[in-house]
Amino acid sequence: MIRLGCRSVADSALEEIRKETERFTSEGNRAPSLAVVLVGDDPASQTYVRKKAEAAASLGFMHFQYTLDGDSEEKDVLALVAELNARDDIDGILVQLPLPRHISEKKVIDAIAPEKDVDGFSPVNMGRLAIGGESFVPCTPKGIMETLRYYGIETAGKKAVVIGRSNIVGKPMALLLMQKGVDATVSVCHTKTPDLRAYTADADIIIVAAGRPGTIDASYVKDGAAVIDVGVNRVEDPSKEKGFRLVGDADYASFRDRDVMITPVPGGIGLMTVSMLMANTLEAARKRRGR
Ligand code: NAP
């Protein structure tokens, strides 16, 4: 088994963004700026938002955080998004998901100006991705593409299987892999796929984003394949201080004696998302200044 750790991938991406940001500001542009909106006090969301703030600060980006009460009304969130859309000093807007149930995520995402939608979830950016135009690519699939490139994993002419069809991971991932220049032949599997193994057994690249531990194990995968495990799942573990540990969707231990490349959890794709968000924010700043 070859472990495809992502710490070095994320660090090298951040280093590249740092250099490009220095070049950008040395040309007289102000630093890229990111606004992050958090609604409520979900601990996991607070952690994600903090990590984004730390990364932005480490790159010298301007960073604005807006924290609204969990019982804020949908119109309050929409009004804040409208204000951020109009502000010239903000390049990228990220609304941390999930939102409280009484607020429509779709309405809020739709309200973000496409040129500031650094999460790439808006219909305009998803549509552009689908038809091959310039778009903000959602951060997790973008991080997976970066990881494949970093490790020299060939995609052209290869068989890829994406397990999961969500708007934030599975669908954009499949679109990226089938793009011209990437050139994989892609199958997308989901819970109604009758025989998952029939698809994975022959695949060169398997992206598993099902959100279920043990979705695949070594018996699903041929020798020489690359497995990108996107899942982040909590499983009870009384031996841990917090009472749980994080595992992916692939049964990592089962791959130990196999000739397979695999990203670990933790230490894998989860590390890529924040650096890709910073890449998108720099891109937003550049585009807004016509560079
Ligand atoms: P999601 O919206 O719940 O979608 C899961 C998808 O997987 C669905 O399309 C579902 O099919 C499919 N699926 C579930 N079980 C399956 C099975 N046994 N066989 C085949 N397909 C199956 O989840 P998501 O938002 O895409 O996230 C997926 C995982 O990635 C989660 O663990 C999440 O925490 C993680 N994640 C990680 C990052 C990161 O590392 N930065 C970012 C985002 C998400 P149906 O459509 O038929 O229901």
Side-chain angles (χ1 to χ4, degrees), residues 140 163-166 168-169 190-191 209-212 230-233 270 273:
T140 301
I163 305 173
R165 55 177 165 182
S166 72
I168 61 169
V169 187
H190 43 76
T191 55
R212 290 189 195 176
V230 189
V232 180
N233 308 293
T273 306

Side-chain angles (χ1 to χ4, degrees), residues 9-11 13-14 17 55 59 271-280:
V9 194
D11 284 350
L14 275 178
I17 299 163
L59 292 167
L271 297 173
M272 295 302 298
T273 306
V274 171
S275 39
M276 295 302 103
L277 174 67
M278 300 301 132
N280 280 353

Side-chain angles (χ1 to χ4, degrees), residues 42-219:
D42 174 61
S45 292
Q46 284 173 334
T47 305
Y48 292 137
V49 164
R50 197 185 62 243
K51 287 188 175 164
K52 288 163 189 173
E54 286 168 3
S58 80
L59 292 167
F61 286 12
M62 286 160 68
H63 176 264
F64 303 88
Q65 186 175 324
Y66 298 87
T67 306
L68 304 184
D69 284 345
D71 56 7
S72 300
E73 289 183 40
E74 185 177 273
K75 68 176 172 44
D76 301 327
V77 183
L78 290 171
L80 176 57
V81 168
E83 180 198 321
L84 299 173
N85 281 342
R87 271 176 53 181
D88 194 45
D89 61 338
I90 286 174
D91 298 313
I93 302 170
L94 177 136
V95 178
Q96 185 64 44
L97 303 179
L99 289 170
R101 276 164 194 249
H102 64 282
I103 299 175
S104 158
E105 288 186 356
K106 182 178 179 316
K107 270 194 202 166
V108 172
I109 290 168
D110 285 4
I112 300 172
E115 68 275 15
K116 296 190 178 187
D117 168 35
V118 285
D119 244 347
F121 294 161
S122 76
V124 170
N125 280 307
M126 287 292 277
R128 285 183 185 150
L129 180 62
I131 61 174
E134 245 190 52
S135 65
F136 290 111
V137 174
C139 299
T140 301
K142 186 176 171 118
I144 293 169
M145 294 308 295
E146 189 73 23
T147 303
L148 294 174
R149 256 192 304 274
Y150 182 90
Y151 282 110
I153 296 167
E154 184 62 71
T155 52
K158 301 294 179 187
K159 285 187 187 164
V161 170
V162 178
I163 305 173
R165 55 177 165 182
S166 72
N167 289 338
I168 61 169
V169 187
K171 277 185 204 157
M173 191 66 239
L175 290 169
L176 284 169
L177 285 165
M178 74 171 83
Q179 264 182 352
K180 282 208 167 163
V182 181
D183 298 330
T185 302
V186 185
S187 304
V188 180
C189 300
H190 43 76
T191 55
K192 304 294 183 293
T193 302
D195 181 5
L196 185 58
R197 205 185 291 265
Y199 293 85
T200 58
D202 197 24
D204 303 297
I205 299 168
I206 299 167
I207 315 281
V208 55
R212 290 189 195 176
T215 302
I216 60 167
D217 60 29
S219 70

